[in-house]
Amino acid sequence: AQRVTQPEKLLSVFKGAPVELKCNYSYSGSPELFWYVQYSRQRLQLLLRHISRESIKGFTADLNKGETSFHLKKPFAQEEDSAMYYCALTPQGTSGSRLTFGEGTQLTVNP
Amino acid sequence: DVKVTQSSRYLVKRTGEKVFLECVQDMDHENMFWYRQDPGLGLRLIYFSYDVKMKEKGDIPEGYSVSREKKERFSLILESASTNQTSMYLCASRSDRGLNYGYTFGSGTRLTVV
């Protein structure tokens, strides 16, 4: 079975401060991990996925297989980063398979 | 621009009613999903479908059924709505082709059962 845990339901930082949203997973095989974001009154959208090793809107995330973590980081938070963030997992390389989400973290960036 | 369209943004239904939530995608995706989104619980998978007329139970299928008669349409059915089914419902689709495993989500249907 696959499981994703986001230990913080709420996270509040000041503009310009670093931010880290934690994500831990359990899965016996090789996972593919994603971060999704939902801004107020908008649909859920893909922020980044580990296989791309890209930086989107200044966010990065590194897969740590030893710690089974995929934390999302940004060195300088902006007010427009305020949103709900979900970490998600699917088995790597399999088509048609389900995406399992964490509980979500509501990030608030204060001016 | 790819689209997943959910027919209703808000719905209010009475306990015991049969409720249909409709989802249509225009991307020729093979896979379609229904999730419910609740605060503190994240997104939980109700049902999914990887082909026309095929369906698989997710984590919380009780009280729900689905229908996929055409590739582009995936319907979620609440046979007899109950108050604990008050939630935000999200539809998503995904392609089997290429290396893009990302999901495309609809805007959601906020269902209130009174």
Side-chain angles (χ1 to χ4, degrees):
Chain A
Q2 55 208 57
R3 182 174 175 152
V4 178
T5 304
Q6 294 177 249
E8 303 141 329
K9 288 187 178 167
L10 302 171
L11 186 61
S12 182
V13 300
F14 286 102
K15 177 182 173 182
V19 63
E20 181 180 54
L21 289 83
K22 292 185 168 51
C23 171
N24 295 95
Y25 68 90
S26 62
Y27 179 62
S28 56
S30 294
E32 183 166 3
L33 286 142
F34 304 83
W35 277 98
Y36 280 80
V37 61
Q38 189 170 31
Y39 301 102
S40 179
R41 300 181 185 278
Q42 294 187 28
R43 65 182 67 198
L44 198 63
Q45 57 187 283
L46 180 65
L47 180 62
L48 55 82
R49 53 192 178 126
H50 92 271
I51 203 167
S52 303
R53 301 187 65 81
E54 56 198 343
S55 174
I56 303 293
K57 300 184 179 183
F59 285 98
T60 58
D62 290 318
L63 178 60
N64 186 324
K65 291 188 177 180
E67 295 182 359
T68 60
S69 68
F70 187 57
H71 304 327
L72 184 68
K73 300 176 183 179
K74 185 169 183 177
F76 307 104
Q78 302 299 314
E79 289 180 68
E80 56 265 30
D81 296 328
S82 296
M84 177 67 83
Y85 291 81
Y86 292 98
C87 183
L89 175 154
T90 194
Q92 194 173 78
T94 54
S95 62
S97 57
R98 53 184 296 166
L99 199 59
T100 298
F101 286 86
E103 306 90 337
T105 298
Q106 178 69 50
L107 174 65
T108 302
V109 181
N110 300 297
Chain B
D1 192 19
V2 297
K3 282 286 193 321
V4 176
T5 303
Q6 295 183 232
S7 55
S8 303
R9 188 77 175 101
Y10 298 96
L11 274 180
V12 180
K13 296 292 181 181
R14 295 193 180 277
T15 301
E17 277 193 76
K18 190 168 186 176
V19 181
F20 292 86
L21 303 183
E22 305 288 346
C23 175
V24 177
Q25 51 98 0
D26 64 359
M27 299 165 284
D28 199 36
H29 283 176
E30 296 80 10
N31 307 288
M32 296 187 75
F33 305 81
W34 275 107
Y35 287 87
R36 63 177 282 176
Q37 183 182 27
D38 299 290
L41 297 176
L43 277 75
R44 293 177 293 166
L45 183 63
I46 304 171
Y47 266 97
F48 63 104
S49 169
Y50 52 88
D51 202 352
V52 176
K53 296 190 185 295
M54 304 302 288
K55 61 185 179 184
E56 293 280 346
K57 292 181 179 179
D59 296 320
I60 51 165
E62 296 79 18
Y64 303 94
S65 62
V66 290
S67 172
R68 191 152 181 217
E69 296 296 318
K70 294 184 178 181
K71 191 175 186 180
E72 66 270 19
R73 186 181 296 271
F74 192 37
S75 303
L76 179 69
I77 304 155
L78 287 67
E79 297 290 343
S80 177
S82 63
T83 54
N84 62 12
Q85 292 178 309
T86 292
S87 186
M88 173 68 87
Y89 290 87
L90 298 181
C91 176
S93 72
R94 169 183 159 165
S95 174
D96 280 342
R97 297 181 294 272
L99 295 178
N100 179 14
Y101 292 119
Y103 285 38
T104 301
F105 281 87
S107 299
T109 296
R110 184 165 294 282
L111 173 67
T112 302
V113 182
V114 298

